[in-house]
Amino acid sequence: SGVQLAFALMYTVIALAVLLSAAWLGLNFANRLVAPIRRLIGAANIVSTGNLYIQVPVQRSEGDLAQLGETFNRMTYELRTQRDDIVRARDLIDQRRRFMEAVLAGASAGVIGVDAEGRISILNRSAEKLIDRLEADVIGHPLVATVPELKDSFANAQLGIQRLVQGQVTINRQGRDRNLSVRVTTEQSPGSEHGYVVTLDDITEL
């Protein structure tokens, strides 16, 4: 009985040691397997906040997971590059827009921007005075409905026969007749959806 009890105790101790060793090895292996995935999850959470400068540490011994980390790093690099390009393009567009607004504001001639559907998109101060309408009141409204006197000139421009259509019209605002020199220029665009620029010069005194 004593020998059997001793062997049983020894067997139990060895079995527990083997079991604990197996559990420790399994946990260690699981941690090594999950560690790169955890790094990717953490990096993805950081990217979701808008930080594209995060890079995942890559260890060659991780096999396919290492390749996944490299792919993730390339993805963040491409996203960062594209975002920087978009930001630079936006800044350039803003600079050009401010420049054009300054030019239009200081121009003595009236300038009206019209989209492909014939609706007013831009109106400078000189044009506001000539047609006696504020920009905020006419943006998005049809040009022909806002300034009926320009109907014929704008219709000729829409035909697309000539890029520049010129003419003269007489408009009456606040009981005063004004003679205007009208130029309708078609925007240079490769597509069929292009806008128009209407320039008005007051030649009444002339």
Side-chain angles (χ1 to χ4, degrees):
S1 298
V3 174
Q4 291 178 352
L5 181 59
F7 272 100
L9 290 175
M10 290 177 61
Y11 176 79
T12 302
V13 171
I14 294 173
L16 288 175
V18 172
L19 181 62
L20 292 176
S21 299
W24 180 80
L25 290 174
L27 291 174
N28 188 33
F29 177 78
N31 287 331
R32 291 183 59 185
L33 182 64
V34 174
I37 299 178
R38 288 177 177 172
R39 291 198 298 268
L40 286 173
I41 294 175
N45 289 332
I46 295 176
V47 169
S48 66
T49 62
N51 183 6
L52 298 177
Y53 291 90
I54 186 68
Q55 292 288 300
V56 177
V58 177
Q59 299 178 6
R60 298 295 180 182
S61 60
E62 294 174 350
D64 292 339
L65 293 176
Q67 184 177 359
L68 181 61
E70 292 178 352
T71 303
F72 182 86
N73 291 337
R74 286 196 300 271
M75 179 192 71
T76 56
Y77 173 77
E78 292 294 335
L79 290 174
R80 184 170 65 250
T81 302
Q82 293 175 6
R83 185 188 65 178
D84 294 341
D85 292 340
I86 292 174
V87 170
R88 284 193 294 269
R90 183 199 62 187
D91 294 340
L92 180 60
I93 291 174
D94 288 340
Q95 292 177 0
R96 292 181 176 178
R97 178 183 56 80
R98 290 193 295 268
F99 175 76
M100 291 301 300
E101 288 177 351
V103 171
L104 292 176
S108 60
V111 179
I112 304 176
V114 185
D115 61 17
E117 297 178 354
R119 300 182 181 276
I120 297 175
S121 58
I122 299 174
L123 190 74
N124 71 345
R125 295 177 183 176
S126 299
E128 288 181 341
K129 295 178 181 179
L130 291 175
I131 68 174
D132 195 27
R133 298 290 298 274
L134 295 177
E135 181 182 22
D137 297 334
V138 299
I139 291 295
H141 293 269
L143 173 67
V144 176
T146 305
V147 190
E149 296 85 356
L150 301 179
K151 179 179 179 181
D152 294 337
S153 299
F154 186 66
N156 292 332
Q158 285 182 312
L159 294 176
I161 300 175
Q162 296 179 345
R163 182 173 176 268
L164 175 62
V165 176
Q166 301 186 61
Q168 294 183 13
V169 297
T170 301
I171 65 174
N172 185 286
R173 296 293 185 273
Q174 297 182 356
R176 177 185 176 187
D177 288 335
R178 288 184 176 179
N179 296 321
L180 303 181
S181 173
V182 181
R183 291 188 300 272
V184 183
T185 306
T186 304
E187 293 180 353
Q188 291 181 343
S189 175
S192 58
E193 296 295 329
H194 50 69
Y196 306 88
V197 178
V198 181
T199 306
L200 306 176
D201 287 306
D202 190 354
I203 58 174
T204 303
E205 295 182 2
L206 178 62

